[in-house]
Amino acid sequence: MISQVFILSSKGDHLIYKDFRGEATTDAINVFYQMVTALPGDQPPVVMTREGLHFIHIRQGGLYCVATTTTNASPFTIIEFLNRLAALIKDYCGSLSEKSVRMNFALIYEMLDEMLDYGYIQTTSTDILKNFIQTEAVSSKPFSLFDLSNVGLFGAETQQSRVTPSASASRPIMSSRGDQGGKNEIFVDVVERLTVVIGANGVLMKVDIQGEIKVKCYLPTCSEMRIGLNEEFSVGKSQQRGYGAAVRVDECNFHQAVRLDEFDSYRILKICPSQGEQTVMQYQLCDDLPSAPPFQLFPTVERDKSDRLLIYLKLRCDLPPKSAAINVSVTVPIPKGSLSMSQELSSPDQRAELQPSSKAVHWEISRFPGGAQLSALFKLEVPGLSAASLLEVGPVSMSFELPKHTCTGLQIRFLRLTPVQPNPSPRWVRYVTHSDSYTIRI
Amino acid sequence: MTWGRVSVGEMPYLGSEETVKELKRALSNPNVQSDRLRYRNVILRVIRFMTQGLDMSPLFMEMVKAGASVDIVQKKLVYLYMCTYAKLKPDLTLLAINTLRKDCADPNPMVRGLALRNMCNLRMPGITEYIQQPVLTGLRDKASYVRRVAVLGCAKMRNLQPDAEIDGTVVNELYGLLRDPDPVVMVNCLRALEEILKAEGGVVINKPIAHHLLNRLKDLDAWGQSETLGFLLRYRPRDDTELFDILNLLDGHLQGGDSAVTAATLRLFLQLASGHPTVQADALVRARGPLLATCTASSRELRFTGLCHVQRVLRSLPAQFSPDYKKFFCSYSEPGYIKFRKMEILVELVNDDNVVLVLEELQAYCTDVSPELAQAAIFAVGRIGRTYSERGLAILTGLLGLRQEHITSAVVQTFRDLVWLCPQSTACVCQAIAGCEEIIQDSDGKQALIWLLGMHGDQISGAPYILEDYIDSLKTELSTLVKLELLTAMTRLFLSRPAETQDMLGRLLHFCIEEETDMCVRDRALFYHRLLRCGVEETRQVLGGPKSDPSLGLIAGRPEEPINNWAAHFNTLEPVSSSGSVVAGIGCDGAALPTLGGSDGTTHSAANCTLAVQEASEDLCSGLPEEATSFSLTLGPALTPEAFEKLWLELETFQTVSLPCSEPSSQPETLQAALQLVQIQALAFSRPGSVPWKAYLYAHGSETIILAELLCGPGSDEDRLLVTVKQEPRDEKVQRGFLSVLETVLQTLVSDAT
């Protein structure tokens, strides 16, 4: 049972405050903000308690979403509820940010009023909520031609080779009533988060892929949708299917509403998506990557005659030639005493800088095509360079995005709405892999 | 009501009075009122100002009028306004009651529900008489939306007048509504009954209700399911057949997709099967997948909660997650609090198969940019090193090569614990610590280094000269603990290497007695001074305790806790919030281990200790009951820790009793001395205040030997001490006497402390 719900900006501005039970005062907001900002560095901030009132919060989009309770409630339930609240705000307002919350406060109050009564969760399903919510969302991001400039971020090869701007999926689900073009779209996203540790000898030490298939549906009512996965898709260690290279995951679980009667034989998921975004399927794969990891690093660390530290990095992208990694950033920890750096980069579209605060060199590459190899030489001025300083270099961590690529090889064969509708609504499939943590030991 | 700062762009530079006047004009303007959109926009502005913290209560009248509209959005906004200001304007709120009551009879169920909900939310004195009738009517409404609201309305009404008598008809009606076709109405009934019957222990879950709820589970959404599962916790099945029927019904929910439902089901499983440990273990095995999934969830907060619960499971089934150890490797983008948790878990689940890779992973964290994280990783390597000492030592000595202040300090602290627990590592450590004194700056590290130099100075050739450097810089030393440690170490080193150290010990004692202003340090120096005057042999007796205690590592190592100890707190806030300081959790564990005999620099001076014991002994001798003195316990022959452990494992438990006294708050030395007075030998203690607190004791008497374990919390009550007694050969009388003596000692100590 939840006593209060409030949303604060990162600066502590009160954006939303709703008291459900009258058990605690509005002062709780200030108490919370003081506690959360006074926490020493690495304390877990998730649950805090002051005078019998428990504060449970999540941080998303730079906002604190907080629930307070006086009972010893289930932390899983409350955290899941706050996550759901954040997701609903994203669905209804287009995005979750200080601005969108400020602009749509009336809508969010209305939502909270229906979601919770006397602190008890009533419903969080978009299908039910949309019957009750009457306020229209104010979109904080009006459509602009500039949004079209990042075409190519996501591909959409379902039926035509047309491309959809990524911004079109971040608009409110309810804002547009009536029949204008491009309204009733369905987005199916395959998002994978990749965690990799590569040892100093180049051997893969850990691979972990967390993937999910999300459906974002703008149709007010949607008939049954069939999502066809690769036929070779197999779950578990022993199972093998089809003749081609198997697409294997260790475990997968599905949304409650997914019907799986054709999953075993045809790898088809059937679902009637409700308006808004929902995760249809989650899957995990560890230890066994079907292809080479996207990046290999060949580092050399040595000291030259004038006692400078030389770090020579050769980075190779092992993606297929048609794909490319974007927003690649490489972080190399360096000895504490480093003063200055000179650099030689292999092409002009890269940048590198020494960040004295974090004692690291950041090397950024905006676009890194598959099969390419880039190199960088950093010469560091380190007073009192010793053999021990060399040990301080590394491990290298990377972050990047791989659009149009899944590391498991999971693909969506088709998306079909049944019965076939007279005006087929645009359907988009997008693939993206994010690096959750990509570490290379030196 | 204050709403904090408001960004400048949104707030006009007008006094709030001007704004209120302007809004008032607009609200009462007939032209505005006739235009639905304009009217709604003005109301929106009122709410916006209210959110920003301006006092909008003067508009109450106009807003009440605006509430009588057909526009539902407008109604909702007005209700929000009214609930905020009702307390300030109770008289005007009564004016709105009529509108609300009229809405409660509206043909549109949404309007009815909305009005009823907000009417019950008004929370002002005297409102109950107006809401009673609509709430009772609402219970029988044909729209489920209204019934949901009305059911919770009963709870609200009850809490508005907590002193009134419970209305039996309402309670009966609510119990009847448990069979409502709408699942949310059913769950709301449970919630409302729980609140109304709070004084009587909440809603009653008897067999028909329990089975009804179980059968309805599949109709509920995830929130309803997890809450209903919570209510089912209080149901006790009559026999095993019913129990297993229930468990079968629940089985599917254990591996569902929703983490809240999985956790609630698992908790119910563990509670229901509390008499069947194998069923519990089996449930935990099957919930492994979903639990691991929460540990890798994309929401950090969920991930953290999952990790905290995995730690609970590991307490009883350490091997459960060992094959999944890679899931607990940290990714660099994670916040520190998750990384600390993961490291704790890695230490717990290490085994012969994964130790190489786990250590390799931890080694990588040892050079993290965050000093706290690096230190925590080093302590974790040290903890694993207690079992796998060679591998651990290799990593730790390697880290010294980095010559980093925080790393060296943590490594030396880890060395101290390792040497104490694994004597075989002494030679290696003594070789490695040369040169560390130049790098260590913090007092924790210094203390550890000084302790090592004093304890094992005979194996470190340069020990006297390193300590001499510390003596020379004593004036600038700020930490009392470092000074105390230095005094003990120096005196101890004097015993093994007198020729080199006599002169510097003299200087140290002179300085501490003549110039030191800290009384603790001065007292300790005086104590050693007098002790040395008594003679070297006497000093050796006081200071020459054992140099290590390998038994501690094994006994206090990893006892597998019964699942029932933590099952009651599973899926509550307790595992998540009792985290305390995580850094200390890993870091101090080793240092926290009790060090009987090896006075390793506690602030508690030995002199104080003896004094306290003398006082205690007088109390004890007068307080012993007749029965206890009629038999005799003897101390000897002494039992080595190894022999104790062997015997402990061999013997069967003779008796387990729970004594009505809390964990003794006194220092281990005092406790040990007090027990020795009554001829009970203490072998090992946990540090005061640690949870669980444990102690191992033994005594000889009438040709038998008695072994005992004291255990305090968690799971057991705060103020009770669980005593497990084993005896060979068994002798009821001696055992009773032992227990009564033990109880008297503990109670005397507790009362002494208070």
Side-chain angles (χ1 to χ4, degrees):
Chain A
M1 144 179 110
I2 293 168
S3 193
Q4 298 157 309
V5 171
F6 47 90
I7 299 178
L8 302 185
S9 74
S10 54
K11 299 192 294 291
D13 297 340
H14 311 174
L15 304 179
I16 297 286
Y17 167 80
K18 196 160 164 69
D19 182 5
F20 291 96
R21 297 181 59 88
E23 291 167 331
T25 57
T26 45
D27 197 38
I29 310 179
N30 296 325
V31 169
F32 167 79
Y33 191 67
Q34 278 165 14
M35 286 201 308
V36 84
T37 45
L39 275 181
D42 287 312
Q43 291 294 295
V46 182
V47 174
M48 296 183 289
T49 304
R50 167 77 61 91
E51 287 164 12
L53 192 66
H54 308 285
F55 296 88
I56 299 154
H57 82 277
I58 60 164
R59 277 210 77 168
Q60 271 195 29
L63 303 174
Y64 296 100
C65 301
V66 194
T68 67
T69 175
T70 54
T71 54
N72 196 0
S74 155
F76 286 107
T77 307
I78 296 187
I79 288 172
E80 291 256 37
F81 171 76
L82 290 174
N83 280 331
R84 180 74 192 138
L85 174 66
L88 279 170
I89 294 177
K90 228 180 271 171
D91 278 353
Y92 275 92
C93 309
S95 66
L96 179 66
S97 67
E98 188 176 339
K99 198 174 166 204
S100 67
V101 171
R102 270 190 202 281
M103 289 170 84
N104 293 295
F105 68 97
L107 173 74
I108 295 170
Y109 276 129
E110 200 180 350
M111 232 159 67
L112 276 173
D113 199 34
E114 298 295 342
M115 288 164 76
L116 287 169
D117 189 7
Y118 210 38
Y120 295 111
I121 304 170
Q122 301 293 302
T123 181
T124 57
S125 128
T126 337
D127 285 332
I128 300 174
L129 282 176
K130 74 178 174 200
N131 299 323
F132 296 105
I133 291 180
Q134 313 266 330
T135 315
E136 285 206 6
V138 189
S139 180
S140 56
K141 204 196 271 172
F143 181 74
S144 132
L145 268 181
F146 290 109
D147 289 337
L148 285 169
S149 59
N150 49 7
V151 161
L153 260 186
F154 301 107
E157 273 92 347
T158 25
Q159 59 266 71
Q160 310 99 326
S161 59
R162 240 172 51 192
V163 199
T164 178
S166 62
S168 61
S170 58
R171 57 185 167 88
I173 48 169
M174 305 276 283
S175 70
S176 39
R177 297 178 183 191
D179 268 345
Q180 297 162 40
K183 284 288 141 59
N184 296 329
E185 294 168 310
I186 294 178
F187 293 87
V188 176
D189 296 346
V190 182
V191 184
E192 293 189 348
R193 291 183 294 129
L194 179 67
T195 305
V196 167
V197 179
I198 298 176
N201 49 2
V203 172
L204 257 185
M205 294 175 61
K206 178 196 176 186
V207 189
D208 187 52
I209 300 170
Q210 304 284 328
E212 50 190 12
I213 300 179
K214 291 190 202 172
V215 173
K216 185 153 191 173
C217 172
Y218 286 96
L219 293 171
T221 51
C222 187
S223 51
E224 186 181 75
M225 183 164 79
R226 294 150 60 87
I227 305 173
L229 307 183
N230 317 40
E231 286 194 42
E232 304 81 33
F233 184 81
S234 64
V235 183
K237 287 251 187 299
S238 53
Q239 210 183 1
Q240 276 280 352
R241 292 172 67 93
Y243 302 103
V247 178
R248 198 185 64 78
V249 300
D250 288 336
E251 260 176 77
C252 67
N253 43 27
F254 303 93
H255 190 271
Q256 262 186 332
V258 178
R259 270 171 302 125
L260 297 168
D261 43 322
E262 287 186 52
F263 182 73
D264 274 341
S265 38
Y266 302 110
R267 296 304 185 209
I268 291 172
L269 309 175
K270 292 200 277 189
I271 186 171
C272 297
S274 45
Q275 218 171 5
E277 187 173 86
Q278 60 220 121
T279 304
V280 173
M281 171 175 149
Q282 288 177 309
Y283 55 92
Q284 290 120 44
L285 173 66
C286 31
D287 286 341
D288 187 16
L289 207 58
S291 52
F295 289 99
Q296 270 297 0
L297 182 76
F298 306 94
T300 323
V301 180
E302 58 189 26
R303 51 204 288 198
D304 70 354
K305 290 186 196 86
S306 52
D307 253 6
R308 282 181 306 178
L309 184 65
L310 301 185
I311 304 176
Y312 180 67
L313 302 176
K314 205 159 68 174
L315 188 61
R316 193 181 71 208
C317 179
D318 285 338
L319 293 174
K322 273 185 184 170
S323 320
I326 57 166
N327 301 330
V328 181
S329 144
V330 184
T331 307
V332 190
I334 49 167
K336 277 219 172 76
S338 312
L339 283 180
S340 60
M341 177 183 83
S342 64
Q343 59 192 44
E344 287 166 28
L345 303 172
S346 60
S347 66
D349 57 336
Q350 311 167 33
R351 281 189 305 122
E353 59 177 344
L354 173 75
Q355 293 207 331
S357 57
S358 56
K359 289 289 162 225
V361 173
H362 286 279
W363 177 24
E364 280 171 21
I365 306 135
S366 55
R367 193 182 147 79
F368 202 152
Q373 183 163 308
L374 298 178
S375 62
L377 175 63
F378 304 112
K379 295 179 187 164
L380 291 159
E381 212 68 59
V382 189
L385 185 72
S386 66
S389 309
L390 295 185
L391 295 173
E392 286 183 67
V393 179
V396 175
S397 54
M398 295 183 64
S399 71
F400 50 82
E401 229 171 275
L402 310 176
K404 295 191 266 183
H405 184 83
T406 54
C407 287
T408 51
L410 182 85
Q411 301 275 329
I412 300 219
R413 269 186 301 149
F414 59 81
L415 272 187
R416 199 171 295 151
L417 292 176
T418 42
V420 182
Q421 288 178 330
N423 307 316
S425 43
R427 285 158 279 166
W428 308 108
V429 179
R430 309 183 290 183
Y431 302 97
V432 65
T433 300
H434 296 283
S435 63
D436 200 29
S437 167
Y438 199 94
T439 312
I440 304 164
R441 306 259 160 81
I442 292 187
Chain B
M1 177 174 303
T2 51
W3 289 87
R5 281 172 295 145
V6 168
S7 72
V8 178
E10 284 188 41
M11 195 168 81
Y13 282 103
L14 286 174
S16 67
E17 267 178 45
E18 282 300 311
T19 322
V20 168
K21 263 186 208 159
E22 187 217 317
L23 285 168
K24 200 170 209 158
R25 263 199 306 276
L27 281 172
S28 35
N29 182 347
N31 289 329
V32 174
Q33 287 177 353
S34 58
D35 184 341
R36 199 158 139 180
L37 271 183
R38 269 178 80 189
Y39 204 15
R40 194 198 279 186
N41 275 334
V42 178
I43 292 166
L44 263 177
R45 282 181 60 204
V46 174
I47 303 289
R48 188 185 292 272
F49 285 128
M50 183 180 92
T51 312
Q52 290 171 359
L54 275 74
D55 181 15
M56 290 289 125
S57 61
L59 299 173
F60 208 92
M61 236 6 246
E62 287 73 19
M63 289 297 277
V64 168
K65 268 186 206 148
S69 151
V70 285
D71 182 0
I72 291 196
V73 178
Q74 186 167 327
K75 260 189 207 301
K76 286 187 179 177
L77 293 171
V78 171
Y79 291 157
L80 178 66
Y81 173 94
M82 285 201 311
C83 289
T84 312
Y85 290 118
K87 262 188 195 156
L88 296 176
K89 303 262 172 183
D91 43 341
L92 287 177
T93 310
L94 285 182
L95 292 178
I97 292 283
N98 266 332
T99 325
L100 284 164
R101 286 186 65 142
K102 206 171 82 218
D103 280 351
C104 284
D106 196 275
N108 182 346
M110 209 201 298
V111 176
R112 290 203 299 272
L114 191 64
L116 191 57
R117 183 166 62 225
N118 285 288
M119 201 154 67
C120 297
N121 278 346
L122 285 174
R123 280 202 290 277
M124 50 173 230
I127 188 87
T128 28
E129 55 177 303
Y130 300 99
I131 58 178
Q132 193 163 21
Q133 196 47 48
V135 166
L136 291 179
T137 324
L139 287 178
R140 299 195 191 95
D141 200 288
K142 52 185 186 303
S144 59
Y145 182 69
V146 183
R147 289 201 302 276
R148 293 175 186 181
V149 171
V151 168
L152 285 181
C154 296
K156 295 177 192 170
M157 215 158 64
R158 167 75 197 152
N159 288 347
L160 281 172
Q161 34 174 195
D163 307 326
E165 226 171 276
I166 297 174
D167 186 347
T169 50
V170 171
V171 171
N172 282 339
E173 191 139 2
L174 288 177
Y175 271 118
L177 278 174
L178 282 176
R179 312 226 166 240
D180 194 278
D182 183 79
V184 181
V185 173
M186 183 190 89
V187 182
N188 278 356
C189 277
L190 290 172
R191 294 158 166 167
L193 284 167
E194 179 75 8
E195 299 225 9
I196 295 172
L197 304 173
K198 208 186 300 167
E200 300 168 15
V203 54
V204 178
I205 308 285
N206 58 21
K207 189 173 175 182
I209 294 182
H211 284 261
H212 170 68
L213 295 181
L214 284 165
N215 289 325
R216 290 287 303 267
L217 269 184
K218 57 183 185 308
D219 306 332
L220 301 174
D221 63 357
W223 315 113
Q225 282 176 352
S226 38
E227 202 147 341
T228 310
L229 289 166
F231 281 109
L232 283 168
L233 281 174
R234 66 180 63 155
Y235 180 64
R236 294 272 164 278
R238 301 258 168 81
D239 49 41
D240 279 359
T241 336
E242 189 189 354
L243 169 72
F244 287 107
D245 281 348
I246 294 179
L247 295 184
N248 282 333
L249 274 174
L250 289 174
D251 203 55
H253 298 287
L254 206 53
Q255 286 169 312
D258 190 278
S259 65
V261 178
T262 305
T265 316
L266 187 55
R267 185 180 180 195
L268 182 58
F269 246 89
L270 296 180
Q271 191 117 326
L272 286 175
S274 56
H276 301 75
T278 47
V279 178
Q280 285 181 321
D282 186 52
L284 285 171
V285 169
R286 266 176 313 135
R288 202 190 90 199
L291 267 182
L292 275 177
T294 59
C295 293
T296 49
S298 55
S299 151
R300 289 169 171 186
E301 291 80 10
L302 200 60
R303 216 184 301 170
F304 176 72
T305 314
L307 290 172
C308 291
H309 283 82
V310 162
Q311 270 188 311
R312 291 286 150 130
V313 176
L314 281 175
R315 279 199 201 169
S316 303
L317 303 171
Q320 164 112 60
F321 292 99
S322 293
D324 307 298
Y325 64 99
K326 283 190 182 173
K327 297 259 183 198
F328 302 102
F329 285 0
C330 307
S331 55
Y332 72 91
S333 53
E334 280 173 329
Y337 62 90
I338 289 187
K339 288 183 178 169
F340 286 125
R341 282 282 144 156
K342 286 190 165 176
M343 279 197 261
E344 288 179 23
I345 291 176
L346 282 176
V347 169
E348 295 275 324
L349 51 69
V350 79
N351 63 17
D352 292 353
D353 300 330
N354 58 27
V355 63
V356 177
L357 285 169
V358 168
L359 278 177
E360 202 170 316
E361 183 72 17
L362 285 171
Q363 185 180 8
Y365 309 153
C366 292
T367 48
D368 197 274
V369 277
S370 147
E372 291 82 23
L373 194 77
Q375 290 199 327
I378 292 167
F379 292 136
V381 171
R383 289 242 314 244
I384 295 176
R386 289 178 200 168
T387 325
Y388 302 93
S389 49
E390 256 173 60
R391 295 178 204 278
L393 278 173
I395 292 179
L396 292 170
T397 39
L399 287 169
L400 288 178
L402 289 169
R403 303 182 72 77
Q404 292 290 314
E405 196 186 312
H406 66 277
I407 292 181
T408 307
S409 163
V411 169
V412 170
Q413 291 174 54
T414 313
F415 276 163
R416 174 193 52 197
D417 301 340
L418 270 180
V419 163
W420 182 252
L421 297 167
C422 315
Q424 70 273 21
S425 54
T426 312
C428 174
V429 165
C430 288
Q431 254 179 358
I433 58 170
C436 290
E437 73 278 0
E438 295 160 21
I439 302 161
I440 295 177
Q441 299 297 327
D442 64 320
S443 65
D444 284 335
K446 280 185 190 169
Q447 283 176 58
L449 182 64
I450 294 173
W451 184 86
L452 279 168
L453 291 171
M455 208 60 167
H456 299 283
D458 48 335
Q459 297 180 45
I460 307 165
S461 58
Y465 310 102
I466 301 172
L467 288 177
E468 187 170 24
D469 287 342
Y470 280 112
I471 295 174
D472 290 341
S473 57
L474 201 61
K475 268 192 187 130
T476 51
E477 178 59 58
L478 295 173
S479 158
T480 307
L481 290 177
V482 171
K483 291 178 190 167
L484 290 175
E485 195 68 68
L486 188 59
L487 273 168
T488 312
M490 208 54 220
T491 318
R492 205 174 265 154
L493 193 61
F494 172 70
L495 296 176
S496 57
R497 300 168 74 167
E500 294 153 288
T501 51
Q502 186 169 12
D503 175 52
M504 45 182 105
L505 176 62
R507 267 193 294 145
L508 175 67
L509 289 176
H510 182 266
F511 176 86
C512 290
I513 294 171
E514 295 296 327
E515 291 182 47
E516 179 61 50
T517 49
D518 190 310
M519 277 302 126
C520 266
V521 179
R522 195 168 166 271
D523 275 354
R524 176 78 66 99
L526 278 171
F527 170 70
Y528 284 135
H529 181 61
R530 287 173 192 148
L531 192 61
L532 286 165
R533 276 191 16 206
C534 293
V536 174
E537 271 322 300
E538 283 75 7
T539 315
R540 202 181 297 278
Q541 268 180 358
V542 172
L543 284 178
K547 290 195 166 192
S548 68
D549 191 353
S551 65
L552 276 175
L554 296 173
I555 294 179
R558 264 199 244 160
E560 289 180 18
E561 219 180 302
I563 292 172
N564 290 333
N565 272 5
W566 50 264
H569 298 294
F570 197 80
N571 194 25
T572 66
L573 294 179
E574 204 240 34
V576 190
S577 50
S578 68
S579 45
S581 155
V582 180
V583 193
I586 286 191
C588 299
D589 200 299
L593 278 166
T595 45
L596 290 183
S599 77
D600 69 340
T602 44
T603 47
H604 194 83
S605 86
N608 288 347
C609 171
T610 29
L611 210 66
V613 170
Q614 267 166 12
E615 281 169 14
S617 70
E618 284 158 25
D619 292 353
L620 279 180
C621 295
S622 57
L624 286 182
E626 282 299 301
E627 187 197 2
T629 43
S630 67
F631 78 104
S632 67
L633 293 172
T634 50
L635 272 178
L639 211 57
T640 63
E642 291 82 340
F644 180 92
E645 200 196 345
K646 189 161 162 275
L647 205 55
W648 180 259
L649 293 175
E650 268 172 19
L651 294 180
E652 294 213 351
T653 304
F654 186 26
Q655 196 182 4
T656 304
V657 289
S658 153
L659 295 180
C661 40
S662 56
E663 170 206 331
S665 51
S666 34
Q667 289 293 323
E669 295 93 310
T670 321
L671 185 55
Q672 191 189 24
L675 287 169
Q676 264 175 3
L677 278 177
V678 292
Q679 312 293 319
I680 298 176
Q681 181 65 45
L683 202 68
F685 294 110
S686 313
R687 189 157 97 148
S690 53
V691 176
W693 182 88
K694 278 190 179 180
Y696 290 90
L697 320 169
Y698 70 87
H700 297 274
S702 311
E703 291 171 8
T704 72
I705 179 163
I706 302 177
L707 310 183
E709 178 203 61
L710 310 185
L711 172 71
C712 185
S716 62
D717 286 335
E718 284 286 297
D719 53 1
R720 294 196 78 84
L721 207 57
L722 204 65
V723 185
T724 312
V725 185
K726 300 184 177 183
Q727 192 181 21
E728 189 190 54
R730 293 192 174 188
D731 183 335
E732 186 80 44
K733 187 173 140 255
V734 177
Q735 188 254 11
R736 263 207 317 274
F738 172 80
L739 277 176
S740 80
V741 170
L742 185 65
E743 187 176 352
T744 322
V745 174
L746 292 171
Q747 275 170 352
T748 316
L749 279 173
V750 169
S751 61
D752 247 23
T754 52

